[in-house]
């Protein structure tokens, strides 16, 4: 078998932890498998480096920021390869540009376009444990790029796809994917298997276990992904093709996202091209818009409400305010004290009345719904942030926790 293992920042957060990672990679190698190991920077290192940049300037150059923060992974791959060699295992490290992980030029959030894995594959065939720097790549002009927060997950799954690996093991500080955040729901249960589509929804809706682009890669290239803990030997959660038995479960998970801001353009004339005028500049600023609601009134005006990541709220608000005179709107409001709570499950396709029950449960707790968004396998609502944990517990108890 060819196995790709990925270890996050907490898994390589100290020399002792790096030694444990080396032991686990060596055990896999000893079992007769080819092993490529993708690692993140040591826990806290990326934030430390970004802090240094902030001491130089309030607005660090994006290209140079990528050059700076990519050094975190360079340290980790070198230390892990050194450790493996000291244990007697042939090993060498590779950075993003050495593998040729080609990306676009969106510094800080680059997207992988192509991987030339020949040198990596050659190293594996020669019996090496190859240690790969996650999170980084190189653009067409040989600039160092980074893939954004959680980018090492994407690196690992993309490498697994390029190598046609038999499995991609994502080692983290949790032991799998849970039906809800165990810190909020005492009865949250670990899922042994979850479909790519369900994990895509959970990742996009606030679940922090996997970065959404890594799940997209896994689904597109059919990479079997095993999410498990680097602190135990227990089986974790497998991301797999949709299976018939998954349809039997109405809701697989409940998730929440506090990284939301709601912006409303008030009383704007409702005419063709309104949405394009509003969301065109926002897209050009690389701001991802999530939920959108447009309410038309009898007098030909409308309120247009949408949500963006909280960190982009100021930039999005500035973009909208600049358009107010052109749009003929009465003004704009925003609210950062909101949260998105969602339920996800393949079984929702064949079970009627799920949305109605969800809304009744929230209403019974006095939780007002500000926005609603649905897909075939998920229902999301925006509510006041102060009710987030209550909403998650109520929905999980109703839909996921088995009756006593």
């Amino acid at each position: 078998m060819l196995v790709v293992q990925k270890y996050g920042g907490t898994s390589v957060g100290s020399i002792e932890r790096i030694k444990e990672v080396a032991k686990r990679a060596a055990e896999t190698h000893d079992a007769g498998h080819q092993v490529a190991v993708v690692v993140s920077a040591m826990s806290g290192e990326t934030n430390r480096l970004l802090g240094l940049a902030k001491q130089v300037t309030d607005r660090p150059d994006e290209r140079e920021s990528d050059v700076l923060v990519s050094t975190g992974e360079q340290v980790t791959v070198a230390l892990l390869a050194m450790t493996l060699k000291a244990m007697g295992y042939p090993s060498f490290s590779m950075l993003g540009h050495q593998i040729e992980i080609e990306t676009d030029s969106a510094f800080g959030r680059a997207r992988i376009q192509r991987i030339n894995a020949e040198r990596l594959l050659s190293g594996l065939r020669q019996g090496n444990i190859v240690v790969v720097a996650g999170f980084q790549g190189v653009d067409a002009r040989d600039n160092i790029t980074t893939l954004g927060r959680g980018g090492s997950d994407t690196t690992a799954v993309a490498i697994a796809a390029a190598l046609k690996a038999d499995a991609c093991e994502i080692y983290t500080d949790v032991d799998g994917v849970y039906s809800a955040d165990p810190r909020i729901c005492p009865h949250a249960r670990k899922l042994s298997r979850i479909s790519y589509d369900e994990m895509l929804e959970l990742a996009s809706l606030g679940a922090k276990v996997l970065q959404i682009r890594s799940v997209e890669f896994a689904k597109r290239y059919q990479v079997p992904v095993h999410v498990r803990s680097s602190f135990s030997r227990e089986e974790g959660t497998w991301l797999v093709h949709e299976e018939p038995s998954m349809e039997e479960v109405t809701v697989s998970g409940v998730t929440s996202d506090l990284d939301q801001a709601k912006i409303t353009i008030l009383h704007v004339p409702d005419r063709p091209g309104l949405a394009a005028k509003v969301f065109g500049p926002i897209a050009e600023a690389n701001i991802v818009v999530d939920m959108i609601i447009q309410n038309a009134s009898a007098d030909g005006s409308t309120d247009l409400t949408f949500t963006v990541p909280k960190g982009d709220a100021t930039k999005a608000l500035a973009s909208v305010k600049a358009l107010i005179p052109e749009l003929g709107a009465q003004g704009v409001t925003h609210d950062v004290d909101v949260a998105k709570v969602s339920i996800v499950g393949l079984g929702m396709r064949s079970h009627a009345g799920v949305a109605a029950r969800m809304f009744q449960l929230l209403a019974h707790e006095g939780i007002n719904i500000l926005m609603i968004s649905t897909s075939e396998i998920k229902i999301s609502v925006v509510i006041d942030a102060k009710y987030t944990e209550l909403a998650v517990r109520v929905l999980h108890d109703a839909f996921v926790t088995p009756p006593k």
Side-chain angles (χ1 to χ4, degrees):
M1 285 180 60
L2 196 164
V3 179
V4 175
Q5 298 181 338
K6 179 265 175 177
Y7 296 90
T10 53
S11 300
V12 292
S14 66
I15 296 300
E16 289 71 25
R17 289 305 312 161
I18 289 173
K19 289 179 178 178
E20 288 300 317
V21 167
K23 288 178 184 176
R24 189 168 293 217
E27 288 173 8
T28 307
H29 184 271
D30 288 342
H33 306 311
Q34 295 176 323
V35 188
V37 183
V38 177
V39 292
S40 301
M42 298 172 77
S43 181
E45 181 65 7
T46 300
N47 286 338
R48 185 187 74 84
L49 292 168
L50 288 171
L52 292 176
K54 285 288 188 180
Q55 292 179 41
V56 174
T57 172
D58 290 335
R59 300 182 65 183
D61 179 84
E62 290 183 335
R63 179 190 182 278
E64 303 310 326
S65 287
D66 275 6
V67 174
L68 176 65
V69 298
S70 66
T71 62
E73 281 70 26
Q74 185 166 342
V75 170
T76 316
V77 292
L79 289 172
L80 181 54
M82 285 178 189
T83 305
L84 285 163
K85 288 178 179 179
M87 292 167 59
Y89 290 87
S91 178
F92 64 88
S93 63
M94 297 187 75
L95 304 179
H97 70 276
Q98 293 173 317
I99 297 175
E100 295 183 56
I101 299 176
E102 296 182 8
T103 73
D104 60 21
S105 300
F107 298 111
R109 50 187 175 275
R111 300 186 74 88
I112 296 173
Q113 297 178 328
R114 190 179 76 89
I115 294 179
N116 180 3
E118 284 306 312
R119 185 181 169 198
L120 173 53
L121 190 56
S122 175
L124 292 172
R125 286 171 176 161
Q126 292 168 22
N128 293 280
I129 299 175
V130 183
V131 185
V132 178
F135 180 63
Q136 59 178 244
V138 61
D139 71 5
R141 297 182 179 179
D142 292 329
N143 295 304
I144 292 173
T145 59
T146 64
L147 308 182
R149 293 289 186 174
S152 293
D153 287 350
T154 304
T155 302
V157 178
I159 290 288
L163 294 173
K164 296 182 172 55
D166 296 285
C168 180
E169 298 179 334
I170 304 290
Y171 287 91
T172 180
D173 54 358
V174 296
D175 59 354
V177 180
Y178 278 75
S179 56
D181 187 336
R183 295 169 297 183
I184 297 176
C185 294
H187 302 299
R189 57 186 176 87
K190 185 170 69 177
L191 307 175
S192 61
R193 301 168 81 81
I194 187 170
S195 73
Y196 294 119
D197 284 337
E198 286 175 313
M199 193 65 236
L200 268 174
E201 292 285 12
L202 289 173
S204 69
L205 297 170
K208 306 299 184 186
V209 178
L210 282 177
Q211 205 259 3
I212 185 170
R213 279 192 284 167
S214 70
V215 186
E216 290 172 347
F217 261 103
K219 180 184 177 183
R220 186 183 311 154
Y221 297 103
Q222 304 300 301
V223 178
V225 176
H226 190 190
V227 182
R228 58 194 310 189
S229 172
S230 61
F231 298 89
S232 76
R233 301 286 170 164
E234 291 183 17
E235 279 280 305
T237 301
W238 281 94
L239 270 67
V240 295
H241 296 288
E242 182 177 327
E243 299 171 347
S245 61
M246 292 177 175
E247 290 273 5
E248 298 171 6
V249 180
T250 307
V251 174
S252 297
V254 182
T255 187
S256 60
D257 185 2
L258 286 164
D259 184 30
Q260 295 284 307
K262 180 169 69 77
I263 297 174
T264 302
I265 305 173
L266 300 168
H267 208 69
V268 59
D270 188 9
R271 52 178 178 259
L274 168 63
K277 283 183 180 178
V278 172
F279 297 115
I282 291 175
E284 289 172 7
N286 287 311
I287 299 172
V288 177
V289 175
D290 183 13
M291 300 169 68
I292 303 172
I293 290 179
Q294 186 171 342
N295 299 315
S297 64
D299 64 0
S301 66
T302 184
D303 289 344
L304 182 62
T305 302
F306 59 94
T307 59
V308 297
K310 194 174 291 186
D312 290 327
T314 300
K315 195 174 2 175
L317 198 59
S319 174
V320 170
K321 285 182 176 178
L323 293 170
I324 293 300
E326 180 183 353
L327 296 174
Q330 286 189 355
V332 58
T333 63
H334 74 287
D335 186 357
V336 296
D337 294 320
V338 297
K340 179 170 63 177
V341 175
S342 311
I343 59 175
V344 175
L346 292 176
M348 290 166 59
R349 294 173 181 162
S350 54
H351 289 74
V354 178
R357 187 179 179 205
M358 178 182 184
F359 303 154
Q360 289 168 357
L361 289 164
L362 295 176
H364 184 264
E365 299 296 332
I367 301 173
N368 187 40
I369 297 173
L370 307 176
M371 301 175 74
I372 301 169
S373 174
T374 65
S375 77
E376 198 176 21
I377 64 169
K378 68 98 171 153
I379 304 169
S380 297
V381 296
V382 171
I383 61 174
D384 288 336
K386 63 184 179 181
Y387 295 118
T388 305
E389 293 191 5
L390 173 61
V392 170
R393 283 194 294 268
V394 166
L395 295 175
H396 189 274
D397 287 347
F399 287 111
V400 182
T401 303
K404 296 180 181 179

